[in-house]
């Protein structure tokens, strides 16, 4: 099956969505990010359905809405396809294990496998982050109007984030909200402990166009001593995203995954 890798037209920050020629295991200081659409022609849905495991097929069958069903099939199927290319393993042979909080990882059966990954989906996009033995978390959110935005800020953001958010003019607050949300979520997901990490025990910048060094402002629980980095992904139409990863001074590579439409 042919796959196309398309260069992004993003110019907002120095990193761009790039063309790719091969899928090599990332170097230890390299982070790979993949972004894809989940609304695909039937042929792809049928292909991905066939590579899912029994438990994944059961899980898919529990979705009531067809768009949720399709989104799960494509995002999980494509995850298998991408990991399979890195591991040189057929997508259907990939085995996952789950930590006690539900974070999927490659099972030990993939010998000497150094890959860590994380997945996020929102709207019709899915984002994958892949590292070489580094804890990683990703989050993507479709920017939308939220009636209770200020209420969520007051409830979930840290004191510093609340103050920074409220200092911004109204016109910048929606973007600030999604910046903060995705950065916090990616950080939580990198630790893989779900909501057992309290959201107000660390602060991130709410501003756009930040450098990675200045996004994680502090972590009062001392987790930042592990030298975590949080950064935004290049812009995707109508979406905001972030990646949190263990380490500093890393190199990020971004790819769009585009499917032939027939
Ligand atoms: C998994 C979790 C951490 C994020 O879920 P989400 O934002 O709804 O969904 P996303 O699309 O970003 O991520 C889902 C993917 O994360 C992965 N995942 C599941 N559990 C995970 C965990 N404990 N840690 C990291 N990743 C996890 C899975 O691959 C999952 O994909 P799948 O459903 O296809 O298997 C969720 O359990 C959660 O608790 N979210 C917190 C919500 C919140 O209040 N955020 C406030 C931010 S200010």
């Amino acid at each position: 099956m042919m796959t196309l890798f398309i260069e992004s037209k993003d110019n907002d920050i120095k990193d761009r969505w790039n063309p790719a020629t091969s899928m090599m295991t990332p170097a230890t200081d390299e982070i790979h990010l993949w972004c894809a659409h989940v609304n695909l022609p039937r042929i792809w849905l049928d292909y991905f359905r066939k590579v899912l495991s029994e438990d994944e097929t059961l899980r898919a069958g529990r979705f009531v809405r067809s768009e949720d069903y399709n989104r799960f099939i494509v995002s999980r199927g494509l995850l298998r396809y991408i990991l399979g290319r890195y591991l040189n393993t057929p997508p259907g042979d990939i085995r996952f294990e789950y930590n006690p909080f539900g974070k999927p990882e490659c099972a030990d059966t993939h010998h000497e496998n150094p890959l860590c990954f994380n997945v996020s989906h929102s709207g019709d996009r899915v984002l994958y982050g892949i590292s070489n033995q580094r804890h990683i978390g990703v989050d993507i959110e479709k920017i939308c109007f939220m009636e209770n935005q200020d209420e969520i800020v007051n409830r979930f953001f840290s004191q510093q984030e609340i103050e920074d958010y409220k200092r911004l003019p109204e016109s910048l607050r929606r973007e600030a909200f999604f910046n903060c949300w995705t950065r916090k979520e990616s950080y939580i997901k990198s630790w893989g402990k779900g909501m057992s990490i309290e959201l107000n025990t660390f602060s991130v910048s709410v501003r756009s166009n930040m450098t990675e060094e200045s996004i994680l402002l502090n972590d009062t629980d001392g987790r930042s001593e592990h030298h975590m980095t949080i950064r935004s992904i290049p812009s995707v139409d109508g979406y905001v995203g972030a990646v949190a990863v263990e380490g500093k001074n890393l190199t990020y590579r971004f790819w769009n995954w585009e499917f032939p439409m027939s």
Side-chain angles (χ1 to χ4, degrees):
M1 216 177 270
M2 185 176 65
T3 309
L4 302 178
F5 306 92
I6 304 293
E7 186 166 17
S8 152
K9 298 196 172 52
D10 178 81
N11 283 317
D12 288 350
I13 53 179
K14 70 179 187 334
D15 299 295
R16 314 236 174 119
W17 295 98
N18 283 306
T21 50
S22 62
M23 295 168 71
M24 305 290 289
T25 297
T28 50
D29 64 347
E30 219 176 52
I31 307 302
H32 290 185
L33 280 307
W34 293 89
C35 191
H37 276 270
V38 293
N39 285 339
L40 298 179
R42 182 110 234 137
I43 185 174
W44 284 99
L45 211 58
D46 291 342
Y47 171 76
F48 286 134
R49 201 182 283 119
K50 286 185 199 130
V51 304
L52 298 193
S53 65
E54 210 175 312
D55 63 301
E56 288 166 339
T57 305
L58 279 173
R59 187 175 159 200
R62 287 197 286 270
F63 288 107
V64 177
R65 300 185 326 158
S66 64
E67 57 263 46
D68 294 333
Y69 171 83
N70 291 351
R71 188 168 78 166
F72 178 75
I73 302 273
V74 172
S75 66
R76 187 52 74 100
L78 182 55
L79 171 66
R80 287 178 162 277
Y81 191 75
I82 290 176
L83 292 175
R85 298 275 294 270
Y86 280 102
L87 296 167
N88 201 17
T89 303
D93 289 355
I94 307 271
R95 297 279 165 267
F96 295 118
E97 284 170 351
Y98 297 83
N99 82 1
F101 299 90
K103 185 175 185 176
E105 291 154 10
C106 288
D108 281 348
T109 44
H110 300 290
H111 299 297
E112 295 170 26
N113 149 48
L115 293 186
C116 293
F117 69 88
N118 195 230
V119 183
S120 178
H121 20 67
S122 179
D124 61 5
R125 303 295 175 121
V126 57
L127 177 69
Y128 304 99
I130 295 176
S131 75
N132 186 335
Q133 289 182 322
R134 291 177 187 276
H135 294 302
I136 184 165
V138 294
D139 193 53
I140 188 165
E141 296 292 339
K142 187 173 183 174
I143 301 174
C144 60
F145 169 73
M146 294 188 68
E147 215 172 328
N148 55 348
Q149 186 172 296
D150 285 352
E151 200 182 307
I152 295 173
V153 168
N154 289 327
R155 183 152 171 224
F156 294 114
F157 288 13
S158 72
Q159 201 50 45
Q160 180 167 1
E161 289 159 350
I162 295 171
E163 284 165 20
D164 290 348
Y165 171 86
K166 289 190 173 161
R167 258 197 295 271
L168 291 172
E170 197 66 45
S171 59
L172 295 180
R173 285 193 181 176
R174 189 177 303 171
E175 194 176 354
F177 173 84
F178 282 102
N179 282 338
C180 189
W181 183 280
T182 53
R183 292 164 184 175
K184 285 181 94 59
E185 190 86 12
S186 66
Y187 188 64
I188 285 176
K189 291 180 75 183
S190 70
W191 293 104
K193 293 183 178 166
M195 297 312 290
S196 68
I197 295 183
E198 290 188 38
L199 287 164
N200 60 5
T201 56
F202 64 96
S203 299
V204 299
S205 165
V206 304
R207 293 178 174 272
S208 301
N209 300 322
M210 300 298 296
T211 61
E212 60 184 74
E213 287 76 22
S214 48
I215 282 186
L216 179 60
L217 301 176
N218 61 62
D219 183 333
T220 54
D221 269 4
R223 284 174 296 253
S224 51
E225 71 196 16
H226 293 277
H227 309 297
M228 297 293 293
T229 296
I230 304 178
R231 59 157 301 154
S232 294
I233 61 167
S235 66
V236 176
D237 265 358
Y239 291 79
V240 170
V243 50
V245 68
E246 189 185 9
K248 293 277 175 197
N249 303 317
L250 304 167
T251 301
Y252 296 82
R253 303 186 66 192
F254 302 95
W255 290 291
N256 271 322
W257 190 290
E258 300 247 336
F259 297 87
M261 285 297 146
S262 59

